[in-house]
Amino acid sequence: MNAVLDELKWRGLVYQSTDEAALAAHLDEGPVSGYVGFDPSAPSIHFGNLVQLMVWRRLQEAGHKPVLLVGGATGLIGDPRMSSERNLNPKEVVDGWVERIRSQVTKFVSFEGSNGAEVVNNYDWTQNISTLDFLRDVGKHFSVNRMLARDVVATRLESGISYTEFSYILLQSLDYRELYRSKGVTLQTGASDQWGNISSGVELIRRSEGARVHGLVTPLLTKADGTKFGKTESGTVWLDPAMTSPYAFHQFFLNAEDAKVIDYLKVFSWRDHDEIEHLAHLTETEPFRRAAQKALADDITDLVHSPAEREAAVAAAQALFGRGELDALPAATLQAVMKEVGAARVSGPELPTVVDAMVLAGVVASKSAARRAVDEGGAYLNNQKVTDPEQWLTTEDLLAGHYAVLRRGKKTIGGLVLD
């Protein structure tokens, strides 16, 4: 078996492939060019998309060449969803998202050397294809019966699916053939929900080119209960720091479930087998240490953002719970912290009392509970113990001129933001 394929399997990154033995032999034969696509359905990719970039980072380290496709054409259509028809975004919006995602994906692979990565946009080869040429050259190779059998299409038939979304599979298959013809691409990867699109591209190349190419899909990230990962109560975990702050990003992985944290470490960390097995042992025997979660959060934040942003996120978390100086945190980090704790907004010119502030911030249920916390020595403003229940907040109490952190006891945190 091929070494890099074995590594991908150990890391839980192989769910299905067109022919595993043939793919292993193909990878052994020499450098393989392969691609993965990212449709610009939002201004940023999310951490679920990062799985594919990890696959290609490992394949590239093994000598293979990644082609990263940002779908300026397919992004105008949208891969059909199980739930409902997608809204079609204006072309100028999609074009802007293409450029933003292009800049994101380039961070995770190398563009140097003989197997340096390339980034392509499928709008470049679809924009001038006529409808007649598309139907004759691509459509004739697809059976409607087979297309109707796809899970997403079968699910949507009752509620309705447009011809536009129904035809998406043809566009993605065309991409694979175009990259096969122009760049010698012989492997496409994606998440398991892309299997129908990928295998159809493989079949199109077999039918029209008489060539054998390959497909490989990874499992979807899931929580311990089997539900999809990538969406949380607070929204999608984006790679763009303006959409998910480095602090929130780090906190998200710090809270990974014990039952899944080792799976995520295998995917997103470059730690070797022995290190990960050791962290697995600690998770089983000393789960209170959360050693694997800390390793995961640190490694993936370093990768996506930077070591400096990870250090700032760690410092912010420590400062929130009284183990660091809140006033030393940058304004951007404080803003992210306020968003994460669900800080209440207040307007001047008169600031509230600490008792009122604790109620507004949600760290207590009532003014009487706030006064009781003060009397018992468990009320804190910016990590300073409050001793006077009649104390008022002042402008000097506002971190970076806008923020105040309220805490009850050791763990109940809230905040205020002065507009």
Side-chain angles (χ1 to χ4, degrees), residues 315-316 319-320 324-331 334 381-384 396-401 403 405:
L320 268 183
E325 298 300 323
L326 284 165
D327 57 7
L329 299 178
L334 284 166
L381 169 63
N382 298 336
N383 289 339
Q384 300 300 311
E396 284 79 21
D397 295 319
L398 297 176
L399 302 165
Y403 312 111
V405 175

Side-chain angles (χ1 to χ4, degrees), residues 284-299:
E284 185 176 339
T285 59
E286 301 178 72
F288 60 89
R289 292 177 60 179
R290 299 190 69 76
Q293 282 85 348
K294 292 173 184 175
L296 171 67
D298 287 355
D299 288 358

Side-chain angles (χ1 to χ4, degrees), residues 85-118:
E85 194 83 6
R86 292 181 183 272
N87 292 323
L88 298 183
N89 294 301
K91 184 177 182 303
E92 59 272 17
V93 171
V94 174
D95 287 346
W97 291 350
V98 164
E99 292 310 311
R100 290 181 63 167
I101 292 172
R102 178 194 294 269
S103 68
Q104 285 184 323
V105 299
T106 57
K107 293 173 54 178
F108 301 101
V109 291
S110 171
F111 288 79
E112 305 295 327
S114 59
N115 67 331
E118 291 185 62

Side-chain angles (χ1 to χ4, degrees), residues 198-399:
I198 291 173
S199 59
S200 292
V202 169
E203 181 67 10
L204 174 63
I205 292 170
R206 186 190 70 80
R207 286 173 175 267
S208 65
E209 312 299 303
R212 184 177 193 179
V213 295
H214 304 271
L216 180 150
V217 293
T218 61
L220 291 174
L221 288 181
T222 61
K223 303 176 188 177
D225 63 5
T227 57
K228 279 188 179 182
F229 222 162
K231 299 282 185 180
T232 70
E233 290 79 0
S234 58
T236 304
V237 182
W238 303 104
L239 270 56
D240 186 329
M243 297 172 71
T244 298
S245 71
Y247 171 80
F249 190 88
H250 189 269
Q251 285 290 308
F252 178 81
F253 290 100
L254 203 57
N255 291 315
E257 302 163 291
D258 286 349
K260 297 295 287 186
V261 64
I262 299 303
D263 292 343
Y264 306 149
L265 262 174
K266 288 179 177 181
V267 172
F268 296 116
S269 173
W270 245 250
R271 294 173 190 259
D272 62 26
H273 294 213
D274 289 343
E275 288 180 288
I276 291 177
E277 294 296 347
H278 176 62
L279 288 166
H281 175 72
L282 291 177
T283 299
E284 185 176 339
T285 59
E286 301 178 72
F288 60 89
R289 292 177 60 179
R290 299 190 69 76
Q293 282 85 348
K294 292 173 184 175
L296 171 67
D298 287 355
D299 288 358
I300 193 169
T301 306
D302 282 358
L303 176 72
V304 172
H305 297 294
S306 69
E309 291 287 7
R310 181 253 304 161
E311 290 170 4
V314 171
Q318 291 176 337
L320 268 183
F321 295 97
R323 298 190 299 275
E325 298 300 323
L326 284 165
D327 57 7
L329 299 178
T333 302
L334 284 166
Q335 184 179 29
V337 167
M338 292 295 106
K339 182 177 179 181
E340 283 303 297
V341 300
R345 306 193 77 88
V346 296
S347 299
E350 189 174 81
L351 294 173
T353 65
V354 172
V355 164
D356 286 336
M358 291 179 71
V359 176
L360 287 168
V363 298
V364 292
S366 64
K367 290 184 180 182
S368 60
R371 292 191 182 95
R372 188 162 55 251
V374 173
D375 292 341
E376 294 172 352
Y380 296 85
L381 169 63
N382 298 336
N383 289 339
Q384 300 300 311
K385 184 178 291 188
V386 177
T387 57
D388 179 6
E390 304 304 320
Q391 177 182 334
W392 287 76
L393 267 71
T394 69
T395 54
E396 284 79 21
D397 295 319
L398 297 176
L399 302 165

